[in-house]
Structures are given as structure tokens and as C-alpha cells.
């Protein structure tokens, strides 16, 4: 369809709508559907969470799952895991699974991906997000969204913007300077809009500069619509709209919520009344309806056709598109993609004395310790929860991988109390108080029975660890901690895991430790004693398979940290410079606009490694770090002028070891003499390359003006740097292998 004729059809259909009908379209009519206009054939838009797969179905106006067996789906690695692959192709295949399954389940929009910057390692939703680095996010989110949208279904990139904490998430007001916003918090969204052409975007709960993200004129109108030229759909977060006028006059299109009084939503009856009274121009509503109709055309939910009437005049109506992609779910290909991604998302943090791999042929007895080895994670975490068709736990993965010649024995090792905060309808209260649960969770006292269990589990694990040659401890966090609506209070490992791991390593120093978590945890109590440490975020339905294959050596690990792992919260920029968490607000304060809890992002652009490197903060493991069972040699760094860009950079990478593998090669840029206001270096490009033993390949990267620019607060624009700059190529932010100076005139 030609653009011109499409727009004409949208205008013609818009003209048929009454004000009441328009208002139906701009607010929810069910928890996961917008309103419809049956008279003109305009259907509801059907949405579903979320980042790790297509969430189970809910009743239209009751926060209880429908509960049939038909909504179990493929469970994908979470975004932190996808980012850990540093493999853009895997981001694309993950997107294609999400999109195909969303369509297969009859959805028009999947409420994913979540790409907020991991500013604060305590944020409960960090597992849903990718990274602390805007370049890694932007490069991964583009193929992910393209993969989703190949299936006549829309992505919904969220939460726009600066949603960096769950603590007081509805009321926290973020203040930050323009440079920090442009360089750190916006590039992922800008790439989603401009490069991936996302059809959908979700506003945030939090405020930015005094306006709630979901009704912000600054974010939604000025930046998104006017600067980036976005003409797609914007939905609010659920219950994130607080004012009819602000919402009507911002770039928002559809108000979604968590209460069943849909017609009383701010963009329901109050909107109609305000337009009638002349307080809000109907033209504002028309803008939203245009976006909504255009969205329906893009995902091929409708086409707009002329219908002949009895009086001979034509009238525009919407009709379903007959050959819309029907999608499907739970296909073998989805499980294969989930497995391929999971394999590359496992990160080998440490491997002294070549402790790993543990070949199945060389072990007769394998002891698996740790509740996380046997824990199903899919159905937790908040709106990212998934009813997984299946989930291979680490224990199942190891038992399968090692086979019948190896005795695989399991003991829990640490005790996890029954889940506290989840009943089926947690979302009903999700815009109310959730933080009380943090107190219940962290301040919980164990009763005598539980204390006895804790001791029994630990004693049993330590006693067995003495007898087994090969021991794998699987610990970390779970969705009681990596969860929507709550932040952690510190980075410590819960459930007495430090004591357990220390005690096991004391009797069996060869025990391998696996940490599963969506955010950093403090490993100092035992990190130096462990010979081998593996890291993986919630890694989808095949996560246990992937982990086992890495431990056995079937798969050579190639994941790299998409975030730095600081040891304690007190070392992090949000703690040192920022004012997180701040005090809790009183109920009365929440009713007053602009009297919100303010978080000033005082660290500015010094987020993650940009901060740690600048101020020499020692980390447990640095951004971009991840080992392999082979070695890679970097050589031949060449920088030349490139047509249409600033430079072309070439580098050779050779696999000098004995097994094939994949290496994520990282390119950073910084000033030769680093000025006070700039990070030492920043990631600008990366690529992952597969190499057989002895094989060498040349990688090429293109660097543009923007890669050497900073945003100038005074002049409000990007400015290219001048003088001596350094191009670094390395295996992590701390493992630079080659560098070359260039001069910018
Ligand atoms: C979350 C969103 C989610 C929505 C619908 C909100 O609580 O912040 O990410 O998509 O609920 O479940």
C-alpha cells in the first residue's frame, strides 16, 4: 500500500468516528486490550507481556489467569542473558520466537523488550533489562525488534525512560542533565525507533523532570514524536497515567491500567467531558486515533476499505486482513533457538587450573548442590512471568548430559522458604504498596523448624562434598529477589549461601560454583577460594541444558558480562553520587504533583564501567569479561579512513587453542588525555566471531562521527571531539589487547 493512500484512508476512517468512539480507542477495555468500534469494524488491540515469552492469558477484567493448558509457551532467556551472548543474530532469533508465538497466541503486540539502563544493581527488574551500556543495548535491541515484527505483530519497547528502580517506582522523579539523558538513557530507545522502526513503545511509571513518563510532553512529544519523528503507538504502563489533560496533550495514545473501571480511566469519560467543555482540543484525540489506526495497518490487524451503502455513497470501514500471518507456538525451532541463545549466555568468570570442563567420561560421581539447581524460575518475577512449556533445570541438564555411567546426586544445600509475594493476582496491587514485601522478605525470622532444616541441608551437603570428586554448586538469586515492584536491599547472597559455599570449598576446593542471577551479587566470601565460577541469568527453557553442556565441555563458553559486577552497593555510582534509595513518601505526598521523591542521577554519564574505570574502583569482574576453553590472539589492528564514516577499523583474531569457540570482540573509544568530564573509554562496536582451532579471521568495524561525539549541555547539541583519540580493541573493558591513536581535526 502506498504511504499517501494509507494516510488518506486513515483520515477517511477517522472522519467516521464520533468523540465517544475515539475515546473508546484511547483507553483499555480489558486488562490487555484497548477498546473497539464494532460499528466500523475497528477491533481491539490485543497485548501480552512480556520479555521472556508470551505470558499466560488473564480474564478481561479480573487479575486471575484463565488457567487452561493452551497458553504454555516457549520460555526464552531473559534480556540480561540475551545481552550476555553479545550475538546480534541470537537477539534476532529470540525476537522471532517472541513474535511468532505472540501471533500464534492471537496477540497484536508483545510488551517487550525491556531496555532500561541497569544503573542501579539493586533494581528488582534488572533481569528484564540488558545492560549498563547504551551501545550494547542499541546493537542488540535492533535485531530483536526486527525479529519480533517479521510476524505481523508489534514489539513494545519499554519503559521510556529512566526507569532504574522499583522502589517507589510510581512516584520517583528522575532529574538528570541533558547530556546524561542523551548519551546513556536514550540511545537504546532511539535505536528502537529510528533503526528498528518499532511499531510500539511503552511509557514509564517514574517521572522525568517532573512529568510521569507515560504522559510526558518532554519525552513523548518533544523527543519521541517531534525529534525522532515517531508515528507509531505509545501505550502507558499499567496505571501510569495520572491526569487527563497531561495524557491527552502528550504523545501517549492508549491508557492501560490495573483496575476494571475502564471507562473511568483518565482517557475515558473524563476525556470526553473535557473535550465537550472545550478544555482539550479534539484534535489531540485525533492524533492518537491516527497512531492507533496506523498501528493496526502495520501489524495487518485490519485493512481500510470502502463499503458501498444503500444511498450509493461509500463509507470507510476496517476489515480483517485475510492472509495475516497466523504465527504458531511451541515449535521445535523455537526450542532450538532458545537453546542456542542459552548456550552463548553462559559466562565463565574464572577457571583456574583448567578446572572446567568436567568431561563425562572422566567422572563417575557428580554431586550437585544448591536449591537453584532444582528450581523452576519461569513462573516468577512479576509481569515477565511465563508459563513455560517446559524448563530444563541445571539438575536435569546435568543428569541428562552426564548419562547413566555417572551417578548424579542432588542435595539442596540451602533452604528457600515458600515464595512470599506471589499469588496469582499480584498485579491487582501493583500500583499500590509492594515494598512492604521487601521488609517481609529481607527481615524474615526463621522458626525453629526452618533453622533445623537450614543446618541439616548444609551439613548434608558438606559431608557429601568430601566424598565426591566433582561437585557443582548452583546458587544465586531467584524471583523473590529479581522481581518487579521491589528492589534488593544490598548485593548479599540470600539464604545463607556464603556459609554453605565456603564450607563446601573448605572440604572440596575443586567444587565449581554457578551463580544464577539477573543482577550482581557479592561473591567475596568465597570468590578467591573457588577455582571455577560460572555466571548465568535466567536462561530460559533450555538454560539447564546449556549450563550442563558448558560444564561438560560439549559447548565452549562464549558469554561475556553485559554489566560490571561490583562487590557492594556502597561502591556503585548510584550509592556514591546519587541519593538512592531516599526516604519513603507519605500517602498525602503522592497526591501532590511535583512533590515526589527525587532521584538526581548525579553520577551523570558515569554509569557502570564508565564510573568504575574512571575512579579506579576494584570490581569482582569487569564489564565485557568472559573466559573460554580456548585462547584468542588479537593482532593487526588497522585504522583507515572510510567513505561515509570516520574510520574503518580492522583487527585479526586467531584461535590459538585446541577447541573451536566464539569470541565477542569489543571496540572502545576514548581520549588520549582523558578530560575530567569524560569516561576513560566507551564501547562503540562489537562483533562475535566463530573460530576453529588455528583459524584466523579479520573483523571490520565502522566508526561514525557520533562515535566520537559528546552531547553539549550548554549548546544542546552533539559535538564532535577534537585532538588525539584512542581506539581500543579487547576481550573485555579491562582486557585491552590492541590500541591505536588517531587524530581528529
Ligand atoms: C509493568 C509492565 C507490564 C505491565 C502489564 C506493569 O506493571 O511495569 O512492564 O508490561 O505491567 O503487565
Amino acid at each position: 500500500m502506498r504511504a499517501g493512500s494509507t494516510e488518506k484512508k486513515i483520515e477517511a476512517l477517522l472522519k467516521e468516528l464520533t468523540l465517544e468512539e475515539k475515546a473508546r480507542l484511547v483507553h483499555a477495555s480489558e486488562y490487555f486490550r484497548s477498546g473497539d468500534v464494532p460499528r466500523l469494524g475497528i477491533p481491539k488491540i490485543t497485548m501480552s507481556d512480556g520479555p521472556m515469552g508470551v505470558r499466560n492469558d488473564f480474564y478481561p477484567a479480573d487479575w486471575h489467569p484463565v488457567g487452561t493448558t493452551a497458553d504454555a509457551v516457549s520460555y526464552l532467556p531473559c534480556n540480561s542473558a540475551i545481552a550476555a551472548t553479545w550475538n546480534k543474530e541470537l537477539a534476532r532469533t529470540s525476537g522471532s520466537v517472541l513474535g511468532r508465538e505472540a501471533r500464534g497466541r492471537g496477540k497484536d503486540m508483545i510488551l517487550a523488550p525491556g531496555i532500561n539502563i541497569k544503573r542501579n544493581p539493586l533494581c528488582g527488574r534488572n533481569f528484564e533489562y540488558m545492560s549498563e551500556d547504551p551501545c550494547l543495548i542499541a546493537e542488540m535491541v535492533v535485531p530483536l525488534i526486527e525479529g519480533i515484527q517479521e510476524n505481523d505483530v508489534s514489539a513494545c519497547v519499554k519503559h521510556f525512560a529512566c526507569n532504574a528502580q522499583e522502589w517507589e517506582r510510581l512516584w520517583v522523579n528522575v532529574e538528570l542533565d541533558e547530556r546524561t539523558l542523551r548519551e546513556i538513557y536514550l540511545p537504546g530507545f532511539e535505536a528502537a525507533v529510528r533503526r528498528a522502526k518499532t511499531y510500539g513503545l511503552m511509557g514509564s511509571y517514574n517521572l522525568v523532570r517532573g512529568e510521569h513518563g507515560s504522559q510526558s510532553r518532554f519525552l513523548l512529544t518533544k523527543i519521541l514524536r517531534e525529534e525522532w519523528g515517531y508515528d507509531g503507538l505509545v501505550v502507558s504502563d499499567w496505571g501510569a497515567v495520572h491526569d487527563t489533560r497531561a495524557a491527552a496533550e502528550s504523545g501517549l495514545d492508549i491508557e492501560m491500567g490495573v483496575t476494571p473501571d475502564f471507562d473511568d480511566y483518565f482517557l475515558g469519560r473524563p476525556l470526553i467531558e473535557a473535550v465537550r467543555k472545550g478544555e482539550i482540543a479534539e484534535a489531540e484525540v485525533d492524533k492518537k486515533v491516527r497512531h492507533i489506526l496506523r498501528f493496526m495497518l502495520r501489524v495487518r490487524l485490519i485493512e481500510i476499505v470502502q463499503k458501498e451503502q444503500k444511498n450509493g455513497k461509500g463509507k470507510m470501514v476496517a476489515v480483517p486482513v485475510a492472509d495475516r500471518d497466523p504465527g504458531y507456538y511451541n515449535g521445535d525451532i523455537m526450542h532450538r533457538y532458545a537453546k542456542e541463545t542459552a548456550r552463548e549466555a553462559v559466562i565463565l568468570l574464572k577457571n583456574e587450573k583448567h578446572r572446567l570442563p568436567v568431561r563425562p567420561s572422566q567422572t563417575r560421581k557428580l554431586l550437585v548442590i544448591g536449591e537453584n539447581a532444582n528450581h523452576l524460575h519461569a513462573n516468577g518475577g512479576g509481569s515477565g512471568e511465563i508459563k513455560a512449556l517446559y524448563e530444563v533445570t541445571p539438575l536435569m541438564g546435568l543428569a541428562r548430559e552426564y548419562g547413566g555411567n555417572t551417578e548424579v546426586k542432588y542435595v539442596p544445600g540451602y533452604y528457600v522458604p515458600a515464595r512470599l509475594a506471589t499469588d496469582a493476582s499480584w498485579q491487582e496491587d501493583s500500583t499500590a504498596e509492594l515494598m512492604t514485601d521487601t521488609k517481609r522478605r529481607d527481615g524474615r525470622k526463621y522458626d525453629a523448624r526452618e533453622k533445623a532444616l537450614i543446618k541439616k541441608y548444609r551439613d548434608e551437603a558438606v559431608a557429601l562434598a568430601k566424598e565426591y570428586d566433582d561437585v557443582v554448586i548452583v546458587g544465586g538469586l531467584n524471583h523473590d529477589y529479581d522481581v518487579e515492584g521491589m528492589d534488593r536491599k544490598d548485593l548479599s547472597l540470600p539464604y545463607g549461601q556464603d556459609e554453605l559455599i565456603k564450607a563446601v570449598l573448605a572440604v572440596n576446593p575443586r567444587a565449581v560454583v554457578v551463580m544464577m542471577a539477573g543482577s550482581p551479587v557479592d561473591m567475596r566470601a568465597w570468590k578467591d577460594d573457588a577455582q571455577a565460577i560460572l555466571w548465568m541469568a535466567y536462561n530460559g527453557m533450555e538454560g539447564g541444558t546449556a549450563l550442563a553442556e558448558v560444564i561438560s565441555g560439549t559447548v565452549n563458553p562464549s558469554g561475556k558480562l553485559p554489566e560490571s559486577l561490583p562487590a557492594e552497593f556502597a561502591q556503585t555510582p548510584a550509592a556514591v553520587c546519587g541519593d538512592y534509595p531516599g526516604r519513603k513518601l507519605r500517602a498525602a505526598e503522592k497526591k501532590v504533583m511535583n512533590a515526589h521523591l527525587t532521584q538526581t542521577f548525579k553520577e551523570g554519564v558515569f554509569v557502570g564501567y564508565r564510573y568504575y574505570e574512571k575512579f579506579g574502583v576494584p570490581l569482582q569482574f569487569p564489564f565485557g569479561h568472559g573466559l573460554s576453553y580456548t585462547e584468542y590472539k588479537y593482532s593487526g589492528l588497522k585504522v583507515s579512513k572510510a567513505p561515509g564514516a570516520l574510520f574503518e577499523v580492522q583487527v585479526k583474531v586467531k584461535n590459538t587453542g585446541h577447541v573451536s569457540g566464539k569470541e565477542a570482540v569489543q571496540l572502545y573509544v576514548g581520549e588520549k588525555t582523558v578530560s575530567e568530564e569524560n569516561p576513560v573509554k566507551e564501547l562503540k562496536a562489537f562483533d562475535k566471531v566463530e573460530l576453529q582451532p588455528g583459524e584466523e579471521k579479520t573483523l571490520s568495524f565502522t566508526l561514525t562521527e557520533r562515535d566520537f561525539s559528546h552531547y553539549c549541555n550548554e549548546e544542546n547539541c552533539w559535538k564532535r571531539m577534537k585532538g588525539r583519540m584512542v581506539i581500543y580493541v579487547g576481550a573485555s573493558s579491562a582486557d585491552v589487547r590492541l590500541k591505536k591513536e588517531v587524530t581528529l581535526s
Side-chain angles (χ1 to χ4, degrees):
M1 203 186 299
R2 279 176 299 116
S5 75
T6 307
E7 294 306 312
K8 275 194 199 137
K9 286 180 175 178
I10 291 172
E11 287 309 313
L13 186 53
L14 174 63
K15 281 211 187 77
E16 303 285 343
L17 290 164
T18 65
L19 174 62
E20 283 76 5
E21 287 171 337
K22 291 175 193 170
R24 280 177 68 80
L25 296 178
V26 301
H27 71 273
S29 69
E30 299 179 23
Y31 285 143
F32 286 101
R33 285 202 171 103
S34 60
D36 57 355
V37 181
R39 179 178 75 84
L40 295 168
I42 303 176
K44 299 181 176 189
I45 296 173
T46 304
M47 315 171 195
S48 172
D49 286 303
M52 300 189 283
V54 189
R55 195 180 179 188
N56 52 315
D57 285 323
F58 287 84
Y59 288 108
D62 170 354
W63 277 114
H64 279 88
V66 173
T68 69
T69 50
D71 56 3
V73 290
S74 302
Y75 162 37
L76 288 163
C78 67
N79 278 338
S80 302
I82 293 176
T85 70
W86 293 65
N87 184 332
K88 298 167 206 175
E89 238 354 87
L90 293 176
R92 184 179 302 281
T93 54
S94 295
S96 78
V97 173
L98 264 185
R100 227 175 286 180
E101 297 215 340
R103 202 65 280 290
R105 290 264 312 279
K107 314 297 178 191
D108 305 309
M109 177 155 85
I110 179 92
L111 305 171
I115 59 160
N116 291 100
I117 289 283
K118 290 191 172 194
R119 167 186 186 245
N120 170 2
L122 301 181
C123 173
R125 286 186 96 170
N126 275 346
F127 73 99
E128 287 191 58
Y129 305 143
M130 289 181 166
S131 174
E132 66 189 24
D133 181 80
C135 168
L136 180 56
I137 295 173
E139 291 305 310
M140 298 297 277
V141 80
V142 170
L144 204 156
I145 291 176
E146 287 171 349
I148 293 175
Q149 296 191 163
E150 278 161 9
N151 301 284
D152 287 350
V153 76
S154 170
C156 183
V157 61
K158 66 190 188 184
H159 310 86
F160 189 61
C162 304
N163 189 174
Q165 64 185 67
E166 291 299 287
W167 163 257
E168 291 281 353
R169 65 175 172 161
L170 263 67
W171 305 105
V172 63
N173 174 37
V174 172
E175 292 292 340
L176 77 178
D177 67 280
E178 197 66 22
R179 175 184 175 198
T180 303
L181 179 72
R182 302 279 172 170
E183 291 188 18
I184 304 292
Y185 293 91
L186 294 187
F189 289 102
E190 189 175 357
V193 168
R194 290 191 144 147
R195 288 168 56 197
K197 311 246 176 285
T198 185
Y199 302 150
L201 176 142
M202 187 189 295
S204 62
Y205 280 127
N206 58 280
L207 299 88
V208 175
R209 297 184 184 165
E211 289 181 307
H212 282 278
S214 288
Q215 56 183 46
S216 162
R217 266 166 276 205
F218 170 61
L219 287 176
L220 298 180
T221 313
K222 184 175 168 293
I223 294 183
L224 181 69
R225 301 284 188 200
E226 291 170 7
E227 260 183 55
W228 298 350
Y230 180 66
D231 64 1
L233 184 72
V234 177
V235 295
S236 72
D237 201 340
W238 270 230
V241 171
H242 301 269
D243 182 78
T244 299
R245 186 182 195 112
E249 294 177 352
S250 74
L252 174 75
D253 299 316
I254 304 180
E255 178 189 0
M256 301 302 293
V258 295
T259 52
D261 52 343
F262 303 109
D263 285 339
D264 292 328
Y265 279 20
F266 292 96
L267 294 187
R269 232 185 311 267
L271 175 69
I272 300 173
E273 282 161 21
V275 173
R276 289 252 161 75
K277 284 194 212 144
E279 291 164 4
I280 292 171
E282 191 165 344
E284 297 292 350
V285 191
D286 289 350
K287 285 188 208 161
K288 301 182 193 309
V289 174
R290 279 188 200 102
H291 296 143
I292 292 168
L293 294 176
R294 193 176 297 126
F295 172 91
M296 292 181 176
L297 292 168
R298 283 183 173 153
V299 298
R300 304 182 73 233
L301 171 60
I302 58 165
E303 53 189 327
I304 301 173
V305 296
Q306 192 155 21
K307 191 172 149 198
E308 292 306 320
Q309 290 180 300
K310 285 202 189 96
N311 62 11
K313 283 199 188 144
K315 170 175 141 183
M316 283 304 192
V317 293
V319 294
V321 176
D323 64 347
R324 185 179 187 199
D325 190 336
Y328 65 98
Y329 56 114
N330 294 324
D332 292 346
I333 185 94
M334 280 95 170
H335 307 153
R336 203 184 86 207
Y337 286 157
K339 196 189 293 182
E340 285 170 3
T341 304
R343 283 177 176 145
E344 294 194 28
V346 180
I347 305 169
L348 180 61
L349 292 180
K350 184 175 175 188
N351 196 21
E352 277 173 2
K353 301 185 184 160
H354 298 288
R355 174 67 193 102
L356 283 171
V358 178
R359 301 272 175 208
S361 57
Q362 285 159 14
T363 184
R364 288 283 165 263
K365 282 171 70 157
L366 178 70
L367 176 64
V368 183
I369 300 173
E371 211 268 347
N372 255 356
N374 197 33
H375 191 112
L376 298 172
H377 292 280
N379 188 23
S383 59
E385 70 190 6
I386 286 301
K387 188 160 150 189
L389 180 69
Y390 66 83
E391 176 179 349
V392 179
T393 59
L395 177 60
M396 152 103 66
L398 286 163
R400 254 177 26 180
E401 179 72 7
Y402 280 76
N405 291 340
T406 305
E407 176 216 342
V408 178
K409 164 95 181 153
Y410 169 72
V411 286
Y414 61 90
Y415 166 75
V416 175
R419 189 172 280 170
L420 299 168
T422 43
D423 78 358
S425 59
W426 72 272
Q427 203 149 10
E428 205 167 346
D429 306 317
S430 65
T431 54
E433 286 303 317
L434 277 172
M435 298 307 292
T436 47
D437 290 319
T438 310
K439 277 194 220 125
R440 277 208 290 141
R441 177 187 70 191
D442 291 326
R444 196 172 178 284
K445 296 247 181 317
Y446 292 109
D447 61 27
R449 184 193 65 88
E450 289 176 310
K451 281 186 188 151
L453 263 187
I454 292 169
K455 183 168 180 325
K456 176 174 167 270
Y457 283 176
R458 188 180 305 159
D459 290 350
E460 174 186 54
V462 175
L464 282 167
K466 287 184 201 156
E467 290 169 24
Y468 280 72
D469 271 355
D470 291 305
V471 177
V472 177
I473 309 170
V474 187
L477 302 175
N478 58 29
H479 287 310
D480 280 349
Y481 286 85
D482 277 318
V483 65
E484 180 172 344
M486 289 186 251
D487 289 345
R488 283 184 298 158
K489 89 177 183 320
D490 55 36
L491 301 187
S492 63
L493 271 177
Y495 315 122
Q497 290 179 70
D498 280 340
E499 290 76 9
L500 168 78
I501 300 171
K502 268 195 301 192
V504 170
L505 285 170
V507 298
N508 190 334
R510 297 174 71 248
V512 172
V513 186
V514 180
M515 286 285 109
M516 283 176 74
S519 270
V521 294
D522 181 354
M523 301 180 271
R524 283 172 303 175
W526 44 266
K527 177 179 153 269
D528 292 342
D529 300 334
Q531 293 174 359
I533 306 174
L534 287 158
W535 180 273
M536 99 181 179
Y538 305 100
N539 209 1
M541 62 203 305
E542 292 287 356
T545 314
L547 178 68
E549 289 174 340
V550 166
I551 291 175
S552 75
T554 303
V555 165
N556 186 358
S558 67
K560 298 209 177 188
L561 285 172
E563 66 190 303
S564 316
L565 296 187
E568 53 180 335
F569 181 61
Q571 298 180 314
T572 66
V576 178
C577 320
D579 26 27
Y580 180 87
R583 72 179 174 84
K584 190 150 184 56
L585 289 178
R586 288 184 288 274
E589 288 174 299
K590 295 182 177 174
K591 299 210 173 78
V592 189
M593 279 287 256
N594 300 327
H596 307 282
L597 172 78
T598 290
Q599 284 282 325
T600 307
F601 287 6
K602 292 185 196 131
E603 71 280 9
V605 296
F606 296 103
V607 174
Y609 68 88
R610 287 169 171 75
Y611 173 82
Y612 302 120
E613 195 170 25
K614 180 90 178 180
F615 299 100
V617 180
L619 292 167
Q620 300 185 98
F621 294 98
F623 175 80
H625 170 76
L627 304 172
S628 163
Y629 296 150
T630 187
E631 302 285 330
Y632 301 101
K633 186 169 163 281
Y634 290 53
S635 67
L637 178 59
K638 267 206 315 220
V639 180
S640 49
K641 292 259 174 271
L646 268 189
F647 299 113
E648 191 189 350
V649 180
Q650 290 194 324
V651 64
K652 289 182 187 156
V653 184
K654 183 172 184 177
N655 181 346
T656 54
H658 302 291
V659 284
S660 67
K662 291 185 178 179
E663 171 75 335
V665 177
Q666 303 160 39
L667 188 156
Y668 298 81
V669 162
E671 292 162 306
K672 166 115 201 289
T673 310
V674 183
S675 33
E676 203 184 317
E677 68 271 19
N678 292 332
V680 176
K681 62 181 188 302
E682 300 180 89
L683 184 75
K684 296 296 174 184
F686 60 90
D687 205 358
K688 199 164 190 183
V689 60
E690 180 164 16
L691 294 164
Q692 301 305 315
E695 190 182 8
E696 183 173 71
K697 281 184 186 160
T698 302
L699 304 185
S700 292
F701 303 97
T702 309
L703 293 174
T704 63
E705 291 263 336
R706 178 65 81 86
D707 294 323
F708 291 91
S709 301
H710 285 295
Y711 198 87
C712 172
N713 276 334
E714 288 69 40
E715 295 176 41
N716 253 312
C717 61
W718 290 94
K719 286 195 133 177
R720 179 153 74 62
M721 323 244 316
K722 287 200 187 92
R724 300 295 283 164
M725 303 289 299
V726 188
I727 295 171
Y728 303 87
V729 176
S732 85
S733 60
D735 184 7
V736 169
R737 301 289 179 87
L738 301 165
K739 58 184 179 180
K740 195 149 217 127
E741 283 179 30
V742 291
T743 304
L744 297 180
S745 53

